[in-house]
Amino acid sequence: MISKKVCMLGVFAVGKTALVQKYVRSIFSDRYLSTVGVKISKVEVNADGVDTCLVLWDLEGKDFYTEINLPYLRGAMGYFLVVDGTRRETLDTAMELRAKVTEMVGAVPHIILLNKCDLKDNWEITEDDISALEKQNIPVVKTSAKTGQSVNEAFLSLTRAMHCFQST
Amino acid sequence: MRSNKDNNLSMAMGPIVDDIVKKSMHDKMRDFINAMFPLMGPAIRKSISESFRAMMVGFSKSMEMAFSWKGLRWRMEALRTGKPFSEVVLLHTLVYRVEQVFFIHSATGISIEHVVNEGADSRDAVMVSAMLTAIQDFVQDCLASGKDGALESMRHGEFTFMVEKSPLAYLACIVRGTPPESLREQMHICLETLLVKYADELERFDGDTAPFVTCRPYMEQLLDAHYVDEGKPAPLWTKMLFGLVFLAIIGAFGYWQYENHLATEEAAAFRQQMREAVNLLRHEPGIEVTHINMRENAPWEVFCLKDRLARSPEEVMLEHSVDPSKFSFQISPHTSHEPIIVEKNVKQALNLPPGVNMVLDAGGSLTLSGTAPMEWILMAGNKAALLPGVTSVDMSALSDPRMNMLKEMTSVVENVTISFPLNSDIPYAEEMPRLVHAVDMLVTIEHLAETMGLSVSLSIYGHADPTGTDKRNYELSQARARTIAAMLYNRESSMPVYAYGMGADQFPGATGYDARKRKIEMRLRFTSSVQGLRENFKF
Ligand SMILES: Nc1nc2c(ncn2[C@@H]2O[C@H](COP(=O)(O)OP(=O)(O)OP(=O)(O)O)[C@@H](O)[C@H]2O)c(=O)[nH]1
Ligand SMILES: [Mg+2]
């Protein structure tokens, strides 16, 4: 069995925990219980016939990552940068975070999740922002932990990316 | 029922992670220790005090057991194995069971392999190993880095988590009850074996655990359990009978057994000594022990990485009166960034003069302060930042005292102006003492600069007042500068002197007759002969 350490990163309340819950247990709750420290869950996924165990490290969200959080990133083989589509600044922080993470664990596969797309009317992130990201070749997926939109796809494509990354 | 208990296990760990982290978020270290102690305090304490406490418990038990079937059997065992009786009792009475053994990849926290005792449920292995790693990441971070910060065991409720670490991978045992000290030793040996066996696979680990299936047998050896035998107490007469039998055995075989006992004890003590000796190296700055090959009847092979500035393993051993020939050291060079070594290297490379104070913080910031010769300051400035382990250099509080003197004298000289009578290149007579003083000072400056590796040149600027033609004024101003230059030549100075006539035009706004404008001024320029300082400088 192949195991992969995957980190969930992003500002507080963007929906990291909600996405993990939705993916691992198919449940969604409107209650916001802020994560303290790190919550770890695992899930098995079959990507292109390869059974893979994802060990998901759901980290506490912060406006910035202090040194305390960084050790948890050690050895990450892939990560999600979760952004709340209704808060423009969470995207900027995600990009700063991306630079820090790259410095620490290298350019491992990662995907930006523009979450809460069920609240599209309140979105502050524009199509221009998204095409700017795509121009930089950063994979972006619009998700909703509430409706489940593209959640499975996102985890699957990160798993695929990690397999490709490993074999190159 | 078993699987139920294992679920308890991972549930028990969840709050540990959350709680510890929560507390420490705010006040870091201090609160962290307070928060940790009730949970993990016993674990952070070193094993010595742990086992000592256990021995005391064992000892009081051993008194009760002295006259029973078991007591007799254990006394026999004590004689056979050479262990103290109390330890044998301890081993037999403590209930413990190694429930699970994990082989965990250090960086990712991924469980490479996992074995469980007798059909236990292993579904939580992935989670437990990741949580253990998270806790350790956290502990290591909070207790500041360094060898002593690593968590070796912790206790939570009925479980003890024991961890045997190495940079690449570690072994963790989850034990119900109080594990015996020997388990630590077994874990150590098991980990060393796995590290050697899977060195390449671990180095390349990308999450695929398939190459590691063959490590199960090694790990299964660690699955061990001990229970108290809860038989009825033996009747008094048997106690007495066996007491007599016991005495008889002692009487008959006493001496022989005693010898035997000593020999076994000696062997155990020897191994212990060897291990302690290797530990000396583990604590030695600039030396990393990577693995040990404990050979029978041959020197133990110790593989280590060594910085060129670290002491040799032999030297470390000798210092502690250990005979180095008991070991064969396999040394690979490396560059250590341990603060002590970095500091040593900096001191050696810079060859600090006595007046210099050096502070090197854990982050590699080097601060040099105090007084030192100019040449040294320039050299240090060029060299220090390039030394391994040094991230920044602050020399703002470093100065050469001669530099200040030089600065002062220079400013005195540069403030001297010598005035001349109308249409004359010989200064006013009353200017002579000041002129002589200035020239004396120039000679002093020259000598001082020389000691600092600086060469100095003097430019003398002569001026004239606007009376007369430009041509005449130019000649006059130059003649005045030359007069002063000549005085220096007379003093046998080797300082290059340049005399410039500035004419009368050089005074902006100068009009008419003005004695203050018939004068010379002096400017000094210093050049470093130390390589690396390209620019000249002026005060
Ligand atoms: N409408 C909507 N709400 C969401 C979605 N995802 C998360 N939420 C809500 O947003 C809030 C925060 O979600 P969490 O998943 O706890 O956020 P988090 O990123 O884990 O936050 P921290 O643990 O504090 O860093 C919760 O109230 C969720 O119910 C989504 O896709 N749509
Ligand atoms: Mg969360």
Side-chain angles (χ1 to χ4, degrees):
Chain A
M1 170 81 85
I2 294 180
S3 301
K4 296 286 181 191
K5 171 170 175 176
V6 173
C7 291
M8 307 292 299
L9 307 175
V11 179
F12 64 91
V14 291
K16 298 180 291 295
T17 306
L19 285 163
V20 171
Q21 288 270 41
K22 187 74 189 178
Y23 184 57
V24 177
R25 304 218 246 147
S26 305
I27 50 174
F28 176 80
S29 154
D30 275 322
R31 265 181 72 205
Y32 172 38
L33 284 170
S34 190
T35 307
V36 177
V38 54
K39 280 219 162 68
I40 294 162
S41 18
K42 69 152 188 178
V43 61
E44 278 170 28
V45 49
N46 184 302
D48 307 322
V50 184
D51 275 324
T52 308
C53 172
L54 300 182
V55 185
L56 303 172
W57 290 50
D58 172 19
L59 304 191
E60 168 178 278
K62 284 220 155 186
D63 281 342
F64 50 89
Y65 277 70
T66 61
E67 282 70 26
I68 289 191
N69 301 69
L70 290 171
Y72 296 131
L73 284 169
R74 227 163 41 109
M77 295 161 169
Y79 60 96
F80 288 110
L81 285 167
V82 185
V83 170
D84 180 346
T86 66
R87 285 144 72 205
R88 178 71 180 68
E89 76 281 3
T90 65
L91 176 59
D92 302 331
T93 314
M95 295 306 284
E96 283 165 30
L97 212 53
R98 180 172 174 268
K100 277 190 196 163
V101 177
T102 308
E103 211 174 276
M104 181 151 176
V105 299
V108 300
H110 56 280
I111 298 180
I112 293 192
L113 301 182
L114 300 176
N115 193 35
K116 308 197 183 176
C117 71
D118 54 293
L119 305 174
K120 200 78 197 192
D121 294 343
N122 303 329
W123 264 39
E124 290 179 3
I125 289 175
T126 63
E127 286 304 321
D128 286 348
D129 290 327
I130 297 172
S131 53
L133 291 172
E134 280 164 351
K135 275 206 194 87
Q136 299 177 57
N137 277 327
I138 305 172
V140 184
V141 179
K142 283 184 237 170
T143 56
S144 165
K146 189 166 186 171
T147 66
Q149 183 186 322
S150 305
V151 175
N152 291 353
E153 290 79 349
F155 279 88
L156 198 61
S157 63
L158 185 69
T159 311
R160 284 208 182 100
M162 288 189 295
H163 286 320
C164 294
F165 184 73
Q166 161 198 337
S167 48
T168 52
Chain B
M1 180 192 148
R2 297 263 333 133
S3 77
N4 208 355
K5 283 200 173 163
D6 285 308
N7 282 339
N8 289 345
L9 177 64
S10 66
M11 279 166 63
M13 293 194 61
I16 308 181
V17 181
D18 273 5
D19 282 348
I20 297 164
V21 179
K22 194 186 296 170
K23 284 279 192 325
S24 69
M25 283 295 122
H26 309 292
D27 295 294
K28 285 246 178 85
M29 196 61 189
R30 217 190 146 78
D31 274 7
F32 173 75
I33 299 264
N34 289 341
M36 289 283 286
F37 235 80
L39 286 172
M40 296 192 189
I44 292 171
R45 267 189 279 134
K46 287 285 167 211
S47 53
I48 294 165
S49 60
E50 281 283 296
S51 68
F52 182 72
R53 187 180 55 76
M55 290 300 286
M56 295 307 285
V57 175
F59 186 70
S60 66
K61 276 232 173 78
S62 71
M63 305 309 287
E64 297 161 21
M65 300 288 181
F67 293 101
S68 68
W69 238 132
K70 261 184 298 189
L72 182 61
R73 263 195 349 245
W74 294 345
R75 273 212 196 273
M76 299 282 285
E77 184 181 331
L79 287 171
R80 209 176 56 240
T81 59
K83 283 182 186 142
F85 180 50
S86 57
E87 196 179 314
V88 173
V89 174
L90 182 74
L91 278 174
H92 285 281
T93 52
L94 285 179
V95 181
Y96 80 91
R97 176 173 148 114
V98 180
E99 296 286 348
Q100 312 197 5
V101 181
F102 297 85
F103 186 38
I104 300 173
H105 184 243
S106 298
T108 57
I110 287 173
S111 167
I112 295 171
E113 194 49 84
H114 170 235
V115 295
V116 297
N117 212 336
E118 283 168 42
D121 183 1
S122 65
R123 275 176 308 182
D124 291 322
V126 174
M127 306 266 294
V128 173
S129 76
M131 282 178 184
L132 272 171
T133 307
I135 292 176
Q136 296 198 66
D137 284 349
F138 185 77
V139 170
Q140 200 135 28
D141 192 43
C142 284
L143 296 182
S145 52
K147 292 175 180 169
D148 299 328
L151 185 66
E152 289 183 337
S153 66
M154 62 185 160
R155 187 171 292 173
H156 184 66
E158 61 185 306
F159 298 106
T160 302
F161 304 86
M162 289 181 76
V163 176
E164 186 66 25
K165 294 200 78 154
S166 87
L168 274 179
Y170 63 93
L171 268 182
C173 284
I174 297 187
V175 187
R176 202 185 295 274
T178 307
E181 258 313 296
S182 59
L183 182 60
R184 161 84 47 210
E185 186 56 33
Q186 279 174 292
M187 286 174 73
H188 182 72
I189 293 168
C190 179
L191 180 63
E192 298 271 346
T193 314
L194 295 178
L195 288 176
V196 174
K197 195 164 158 60
Y198 300 102
D200 292 342
E201 288 85 348
L202 283 168
E203 203 72 68
R204 288 194 309 262
F205 184 70
D206 59 7
D208 187 0
T209 54
F212 297 93
V213 283
T214 47
C215 68
R216 292 184 68 90
Y218 298 94
M219 295 166 66
E220 276 161 359
Q221 286 174 13
L222 295 174
L223 293 175
D224 198 7
H226 277 281
Y227 301 94
V228 171
D229 185 355
E230 283 172 359
K232 282 195 187 113
L236 185 63
W237 69 267
T238 41
K239 283 186 187 172
M240 290 173 70
L241 177 63
F242 285 116
L244 286 173
V245 172
F246 168 71
L247 287 173
I249 290 168
I250 294 299
F253 299 103
Y255 184 70
W256 178 75
Q257 293 282 12
Y258 179 67
E259 289 254 288
N260 204 13
H261 166 101
L262 281 188
T264 334
E265 201 156 68
E266 231 164 59
F270 173 74
R271 278 170 65 89
Q272 185 56 32
Q273 268 170 18
M274 293 288 274
R275 249 173 263 122
E276 275 164 14
V278 175
N279 278 340
L280 295 175
L281 293 183
R282 290 210 160 96
H283 292 290
E284 179 69 14
I287 295 186
E288 302 289 341
V289 177
T290 51
H291 64 266
I292 309 164
N293 183 6
M294 305 178 188
R295 298 186 294 187
E296 297 272 346
N297 303 321
W300 286 16
E301 277 183 307
V302 178
F303 294 80
C304 42
L305 301 172
K306 180 184 164 301
D307 190 282
R308 81 192 159 83
L309 288 170
R311 297 192 295 169
S312 74
E314 287 85 358
E315 199 182 334
V316 178
M317 297 274 164
L318 283 174
E319 187 201 62
H320 292 86
S321 333
V322 177
D323 176 7
S325 68
K326 291 176 182 165
F327 298 92
S328 139
F329 297 107
Q330 312 293 326
I331 294 173
S332 320
H334 90 140
T335 303
S336 168
H337 281 192
E338 275 183 71
I340 295 180
I341 294 294
V342 174
E343 187 167 332
K344 218 168 167 179
N345 185 33
V346 169
K347 281 192 174 139
Q348 197 184 74
L350 300 184
N351 191 15
L352 296 197
V356 176
N357 242 323
M358 168 179 143
V359 179
L360 184 69
D361 76 10
S365 307
L366 177 69
T367 309
L368 297 169
S369 58
T371 56
M374 189 63 200
E375 313 84 292
W376 187 87
I377 297 178
L378 296 172
M379 180 279 295
N382 286 333
K383 220 166 165 186
L386 302 176
L387 296 172
V390 174
T391 53
S392 68
V393 184
D394 178 0
M395 304 206 305
S396 54
L398 192 61
S399 66
D400 184 332
R402 294 170 302 174
M403 205 69 181
N404 294 331
M405 286 165 65
L406 207 57
K407 230 176 192 164
E408 267 165 36
M409 290 193 288
T410 303
S411 102
V412 171
V413 168
E414 291 190 342
N415 280 321
V416 168
T417 54
I418 305 290
S419 308
F420 292 76
L422 191 67
N423 203 19
S424 162
D425 58 6
I426 308 295
Y428 283 117
E430 58 267 36
E431 295 282 46
M432 285 320 267
R434 285 175 61 214
L435 186 55
V436 171
H437 181 239
V439 171
D440 281 348
M441 200 165 266
L442 279 170
V443 174
T444 316
I445 288 173
E446 186 188 2
H447 290 155
L448 187 60
E450 201 173 10
T451 68
M452 297 168 64
L454 297 174
S455 48
V456 55
S457 68
L458 171 70
S459 299
I460 304 173
Y461 300 92
H463 300 283
D465 71 27
T467 353
T469 63
D470 280 355
K471 186 167 179 286
R472 175 61 195 146
N473 280 338
Y474 175 75
E475 284 166 1
L476 189 59
S477 67
Q478 195 170 47
R480 285 170 177 161
R482 284 190 176 145
T483 309
I484 309 300
M487 294 183 69
L488 266 173
Y489 287 133
N490 292 341
R491 292 289 300 265
E492 289 174 1
S493 161
S494 62
M495 188 190 297
V497 179
Y498 307 99
Y500 301 102
M502 306 303 284
D505 293 343
Q506 306 302 317
F507 289 90
T511 48
Y513 171 93
D514 187 344
R516 282 173 306 163
K517 285 160 191 161
R518 301 188 299 269
K519 64 170 189 183
I520 62 100
E521 288 173 313
M522 294 177 280
R523 294 289 175 266
L524 289 165
R525 177 177 292 272
F526 296 88
T527 314
S528 167
S529 48
V530 175
Q531 231 198 346
L533 189 84
R534 281 188 212 92
E535 329 139 70
N536 302 334
F537 56 95
K538 279 183 58 114
F539 292 119

